[in-house]
Amino acid sequence: MTQTRRRSLDLNQVDMALIQEAAAVIERGGLVAFPTETVYGLACKVDPDALARLSALKGRTPDKRYTLHVGSPEAVDAYVPSMDQRIEVLLNRGWPGPLTVVFSLNQAELDHQRLALASEVYEALYIGGSLGVRCPDHRVAAALLGTAQCPVVAPSANPHRGIPCGECR
């Protein structure tokens, strides 16, 4: 049986003890609701069992892809081996922030990532040769995503096709 724990936090200040506790839950395959600059997200480790629980909770079909979330713009480098200078300019202007970027990787880049990442991570993230990535502009989100020692996806916390939970600022 899954245990749900609720923790209150100050959205303007990062409580690293709570962040580390939440990151540990994610690393163990649990789900964690957290604030972003737009809505609340539901963080999940990129792992088949955790993704199945997330999809069931959200009411989404398992084939619907999720967006990778990173705690800092530099963290994208572990998932996108190279990028066009125009994309770098876009990221410098838009990240951190409410911008999801879909990267199309060529075969050499995909082969590199297949070797660099665990197979279940690669299979879950690089669907159709592309990868969606978001870098939220919220101190709690950045701390959580930067602390978790695993790749994290994080759709909005509302049920699939439901109204998103309100702004978090």
Side-chain angles (χ1 to χ4, degrees):
M1 180 172 192
T2 303
Q3 180 184 11
T4 301
R5 291 180 284 179
R6 183 175 185 265
R7 301 288 190 257
S8 296
L9 54 100
D10 179 348
L11 296 181
N12 297 311
Q13 185 163 323
V14 176
D15 180 336
M16 282 311 293
L18 286 177
I19 294 295
Q20 290 168 343
E21 179 182 347
V25 168
I26 294 168
E27 292 164 10
R28 289 192 305 268
L31 307 176
V32 172
F34 70 102
T36 73
E37 73 282 2
T38 55
V39 298
Y40 283 88
L42 197 54
C44 168
K45 175 181 183 177
V46 179
D47 167 84
D49 293 335
L51 291 168
R53 280 193 303 284
L54 177 62
S55 291
L57 181 65
K58 296 252 326 148
R60 290 170 66 162
T61 58
D63 61 323
K64 184 149 171 70
R65 71 189 305 168
Y66 289 106
T67 300
L68 176 71
H69 279 56
V70 294
S72 67
E74 302 78 32
V76 73
D77 295 342
Y79 302 95
V80 180
S82 64
M83 64 183 76
D84 184 275
Q85 186 177 7
R86 293 174 297 171
I87 298 297
E88 289 180 8
V89 169
L90 174 67
L91 295 183
N92 287 334
R93 291 182 182 166
W95 277 3
L99 172 67
T100 299
V101 178
V102 178
F103 295 92
S104 293
L105 284 76
N106 64 38
Q107 192 58 52
E109 293 167 330
L110 290 169
D111 292 343
H112 176 268
Q113 292 307 106
R114 186 183 303 275
L115 294 173
L117 300 170
S119 62
E120 65 270 5
V121 171
Y122 177 85
E123 296 299 326
L125 293 179
Y126 299 90
I127 298 170
S130 66
L131 168 70
V133 185
R134 188 172 185 290
C135 181
D137 186 16
H138 193 287
R139 66 186 67 179
V140 172
L144 177 61
L145 296 166
T147 300
Q149 297 296 303
C150 59
V152 175
V153 296
S156 61
N158 56 288
H160 181 57
R161 299 186 196 260
I163 297 169
C165 302
E167 186 172 303
C168 300
R169 282 197 190 243

